[in-house]
Amino acid sequence: MSRQATRSVLARAGFAGTGYVWLFLLTVVAAVLSPNAASAHEVRPAFLSIQEVAPNEFTVLFKTPMQGDARLALTALFSGRIEAVTPIVSRPTGDAMVQTWRTRTREPLAGQRVLVDGLQNTMTDALVQVRFANGNTWTARLTPSEPTAVIPATQSVWAVFVTYVRQGIEHILFGFDHLLFVTGLMLIVRGWRNLVKAVTAFTVAHSITLTCATLGWVTLPSRPVEALIAISIVMVAAEIVRLERGQLSLAIVRPWTVAFAFGLLHGFGFAGALSELGLPQGDIPLALLAFNVGVELGQLAFIAVTLIGLYLIRQLVNMPRHAIVASAYAIGIVAAFWSVERLDAMLQ
């Protein structure tokens, strides 16, 4: 299609001017071709679980993310003398490789340093959980800049809380589909009171399903959930265009009801991420609360930064209403791409 033909099509859709055409095209191309946009949860954490089953004997589960048929080159190492009791058994689970084995320590595990070797060469994190036979647990988040930590005999409640708050913040900030939905919601809602209602409804709803799914009360397969989340973004983008055309619908008149309904769906997506991390058996309610708090803090930070950014832009330039329509089309195209991609993965 020629540039003139493209401009004509966009003009009929409500765009005008060369600047809007290029803004629209650049937005779509950047979103679709971005490596993070193609898969909304591309950066997944590794997970190392160590559980004492006999004096100085532990079962080990090490889950590492996979890209296609290749897994991240990560290895769990300890500073003390440790010998394997059973060979390592590996099994792929679609987007991760799960390795399990049993090991014996020649000296107490508490006080040893655990290292996820290779983490420093990645962009992901590793969550480490150790559970001793006496009921004491320890949870830590290792990062590429700090891929090692000392295993203590006990851990404070505050340390568990902080660890899962950080995981919640990280998940929402790298959950580009959830952020795109929130962006679309912000474009539909008019007035800060209505925005507070819509965001609150979305928060309450995904908190409900996050809790129910994490505790095993209600479960849904992850692939259909991810596909439906992408489709929900397409629907929100369509509502933005309908609003700009002066039409009315339930999402426009009562956006908090739609936010609540879709929030229930997005909560299952959050639960899938939390299940990948795992929960400390002795602190499940605390970890669940902390993860939810982290998600909300990350979501509120994103909304605040977006509103501040829009305010500053409006102080510099006069933003036409066509920019909202352009944003809606860009959101819809990216979400439609995700929908097709995820439906294809679901049907394979």
Side-chain angles (χ1 to χ4, degrees), residues 310-318:
L310 288 174
Y311 173 79
L312 294 177
I313 291 174
R314 286 172 177 168
Q315 300 306 305
L316 299 175
V317 297
N318 183 21

Side-chain angles (χ1 to χ4, degrees), residues 6-347:
T6 302
R7 185 181 299 118
S8 176
V9 171
L10 294 176
R12 288 196 299 270
F15 303 98
T18 304
Y20 302 139
V21 173
W22 284 110
L23 174 62
F24 171 75
L25 292 178
L26 287 175
T27 302
V28 173
V29 170
V32 173
L33 296 184
S34 168
N36 290 325
S39 177
H41 302 290
E42 193 69 28
V43 182
R44 301 183 305 275
F47 176 56
L48 176 62
S49 173
I50 307 165
Q51 183 171 350
E52 189 173 20
V53 293
N56 293 329
E57 285 197 14
F58 299 84
T59 57
V60 182
L61 182 149
F62 191 31
K63 180 162 61 175
T64 54
M66 294 183 65
Q67 293 293 338
D69 295 329
R71 77 173 186 91
L72 289 183
L74 303 178
T75 305
L77 301 175
F78 300 88
S79 60
R81 293 177 298 169
I82 292 180
E83 62 181 18
V85 177
T86 62
I88 297 176
V89 177
S90 302
R91 57 181 178 87
T93 61
D95 59 358
M97 178 66 73
V98 176
Q99 297 176 304
T100 55
W101 68 95
R102 188 163 175 158
T103 189
R104 180 184 298 113
T105 62
R106 294 296 184 181
E107 53 194 72
L109 189 63
Q112 292 191 34
R113 183 172 292 275
V114 58
L115 165 68
V116 177
D117 190 33
L119 193 65
Q120 62 273 20
N121 302 320
T122 70
M123 295 178 59
T124 190
D125 300 334
L127 192 70
V128 181
Q129 292 182 0
V130 179
R131 186 179 184 187
F132 295 98
N134 61 7
N136 291 336
T137 61
W138 174 71
T139 304
R141 173 175 172 264
L142 305 183
T143 64
S145 59
E146 295 184 13
T148 182
V150 176
I151 302 174
T154 59
Q155 183 178 35
S156 67
V157 171
W158 176 249
V160 175
F161 185 82
V162 170
T163 296
Y164 278 88
V165 166
R166 289 176 177 173
Q167 290 293 337
I169 293 174
E170 181 177 295
H171 175 74
I172 189 65
L173 294 183
F174 282 98
F176 298 102
D177 49 358
H178 300 299
L179 294 182
L180 206 59
F181 178 85
V182 172
T183 302
L185 197 62
M186 293 170 65
L187 292 175
I188 290 179
V189 177
R190 297 292 185 266
W192 68 268
R193 286 187 176 86
N194 288 334
L195 179 60
V196 170
K197 290 180 182 178
V199 172
T200 301
F202 183 68
T203 296
V204 171
H206 72 63
S207 298
I208 292 173
T209 47
L210 170 62
T211 302
C212 292
T214 302
L215 297 179
W217 297 343
V218 180
T219 58
L220 291 177
S222 61
R223 288 191 175 182
V225 167
E226 293 297 328
L228 288 173
I229 287 175
I231 293 173
S232 74
I233 302 172
V234 176
M235 296 174 66
V236 168
E239 291 300 314
I240 298 171
V241 176
R242 186 175 288 113
L243 173 64
E244 293 303 311
R245 291 176 177 174
Q247 301 174 1
L248 295 179
S249 67
L250 181 62
I252 296 171
V253 177
R254 294 185 177 86
W256 51 89
T257 60
V258 176
F260 184 87
F262 285 142
L264 294 174
L265 179 63
H266 284 245
F268 286 108
F270 292 136
L274 187 55
S275 65
E276 288 186 356
L277 292 173
L279 290 170
Q281 294 301 311
D283 296 300
I284 289 179
L286 176 65
L288 180 59
L289 172 64
F291 184 82
N292 209 22
V293 168
V295 168
E296 298 317 313
L297 290 176
Q299 181 175 284
L300 291 175
F302 171 77
I303 293 173
V305 170
T306 302
L307 292 178
I308 292 173
L310 288 174
Y311 173 79
L312 294 177
I313 291 174
R314 286 172 177 168
Q315 300 306 305
L316 299 175
V317 297
N318 183 21
M319 292 182 61
R321 296 191 66 84
H322 293 304
I324 297 179
V325 179
S327 300
Y329 273 90
I331 290 172
I333 289 173
V334 174
F337 174 80
W338 284 341
S339 301
V340 173
E341 183 183 52
R342 295 177 184 184
L343 286 171
D344 178 68
M346 184 181 70
L347 297 176

